Amino acid sequence: MTTTPFGRMVTAMVTPMKPDGSIDYEGVARLANHLVDNGHDGLVVNGTTGESATTTDEENVETVRAVVDAVGDRCAVTAGVGTNDTAHSVRAAKALAAVGADAVLVVTPYYNKPTQVGIVEHFKAVVGATDLPAMAYDIPGRTGTPLASDTIRELAKIDQMLAVKDAKGDFFEATKLMNETDLLWYSGDDVSNLIWLSLGAVGLVSVVGHVAGNEFRAMIDAVDAGDMTRARELHTRLIPAIDALMNTSQGAIMAKAAMADKGVIDSDFIRLPLLPATDDMRARLRGGLSESGLL
């Protein structure tokens, strides 16, 4: 079995909120316990799915604190600390390490469109702000800037930089980098989970894991055991659920709707510019989950 400081079945948690828009910290703890009770050995808190773009630094600290208090002895807690402001990210990393995060997730700086050299220096500064292990998040569809292969090779030289969450999907290039470096690879796109695992990824950082943690855990175990028939069966079974969560609207919107429908969280409130799922979206969601045997 592969060991990793981030866990292997990891979900990027939504951040439960009350109908007035404030964060429901009791709901945060309840959701974290639900996920760990259902296949997870790792959680990402304050990631994109957690609405990091619209939560405050103070809220992020209290959210990580709530998750650590609830499940920190049962799973790895990785805190999202990446922004497009290096100094801000450094402060965030220090603050979230101080409340018990086990690791940090650092996204490529967005909007600024930095050079690849600037990206490396950004990662060095943020990762060096604490002694925690770090995961780089490569998602050019959101950041506007992919991590070049030579940049990833440079990141691999940073002692605490141990992993990549890949939502870029250049599978052949990634296999070269897995072979050349000691970086642990994670699927950052639920549509491609089985592909990544079959190519040597150690785990998943999922959105669909909100509803399919046990099933994805079984997929990881099947790939570990060399049972690709079983892994493909699980993938095929989960196609309707993945499609419903990831292709109906936006991941955080649909994951909140699913957790609210299941009674795990009390409200699917989501902050603007995102809007809660419509009735039609919820109907499609329930259909997909039902077809995948998740209701």
Side-chain angles (χ1 to χ4, degrees):
M1 294 292 292
T2 301
T3 59
T4 160
F6 311 98
R8 301 187 66 195
M9 179 53 235
V10 184
T11 279
M13 278 180 52
V14 297
T15 302
M17 295 175 183
K18 299 177 182 179
D20 65 0
S22 61
I23 293 182
D24 178 2
Y25 294 108
E26 291 183 2
V28 168
R30 189 163 63 249
L31 174 59
N33 272 300
H34 171 80
L35 293 173
V36 175
D37 288 343
N38 286 277
H40 290 74
D41 58 350
L43 297 172
V44 167
V45 186
N46 299 339
T48 308
T49 308
E51 298 175 70
S52 58
T54 52
T55 55
T56 68
D57 292 345
E58 294 77 12
E59 289 172 331
N60 293 343
V61 166
E62 293 309 313
T63 301
V64 169
R65 191 196 309 273
V67 174
V68 170
D69 288 348
V71 297
D73 59 342
R74 296 200 290 150
C75 79
V77 179
T78 299
V81 302
T83 71
N84 65 335
D85 175 347
T86 303
H88 186 181
S89 297
V90 166
R91 292 193 300 271
K94 291 178 178 178
L96 298 178
V99 293
D102 298 302
V104 294
L105 176 72
V106 186
V107 71
T108 311
Y110 42 83
Y111 190 74
N112 311 48
K113 287 205 169 182
T115 64
Q116 295 293 314
V117 174
I119 290 170
V120 172
E121 293 304 311
H122 171 85
F123 273 94
K124 285 180 178 177
V126 179
V127 174
T130 76
D131 60 359
L132 298 180
M135 179 186 295
Y137 187 10
D138 189 6
I139 182 166
R142 287 184 181 273
T143 65
T145 308
L147 292 179
S149 292
D150 282 344
T151 299
I152 294 174
R153 291 183 180 98
E154 289 300 309
L155 297 183
K157 297 175 184 177
I158 302 171
D159 288 343
Q160 294 155 244
M161 181 58 72
L162 304 184
V164 174
K165 177 186 175 184
D166 195 316
K168 181 169 60 186
D170 188 340
F171 299 106
F172 184 63
E173 196 66 18
T175 57
K176 292 195 291 184
L177 292 164
M178 285 186 230
N179 185 55
E180 292 175 26
T181 73
D182 294 327
L183 291 169
L184 303 169
W185 228 262
Y186 283 78
S187 171
D189 179 7
D190 282 304
V191 171
S192 305
N193 284 346
L194 181 56
I195 300 171
W196 280 120
L197 291 171
S198 70
L199 291 174
V202 302
L204 321 174
V205 181
S206 178
V207 175
V208 181
H210 282 91
V211 296
N214 290 318
E215 290 74 15
F216 281 139
R217 177 77 247 183
M219 183 186 291
I220 293 168
D221 292 344
V223 173
D224 281 352
D227 188 352
M228 294 305 295
T229 298
R230 172 62 174 156
R232 285 193 299 272
E233 288 172 351
L234 288 160
H235 169 77
T236 301
R237 174 186 160 192
L238 291 174
I239 288 171
I242 294 170
D243 197 28
L245 262 87
M246 303 309 296
N247 295 326
T248 297
S249 178
Q250 193 260 15
I253 291 171
M254 299 311 295
K256 276 194 165 179
M259 291 293 90
D261 276 2
K262 285 178 170 287
V264 179
I265 63 177
D266 293 336
S267 169
D268 68 344
F269 183 92
I270 196 161
R271 289 180 180 174
L272 285 169
L274 303 181
L275 289 169
T278 64
D279 289 343
D280 287 345
M281 292 175 187
R282 284 177 175 273
R284 182 175 174 187
L285 173 64
R286 294 185 190 110
L289 296 183
S290 178
E291 193 174 347
S292 291
L294 298 175
L295 282 182

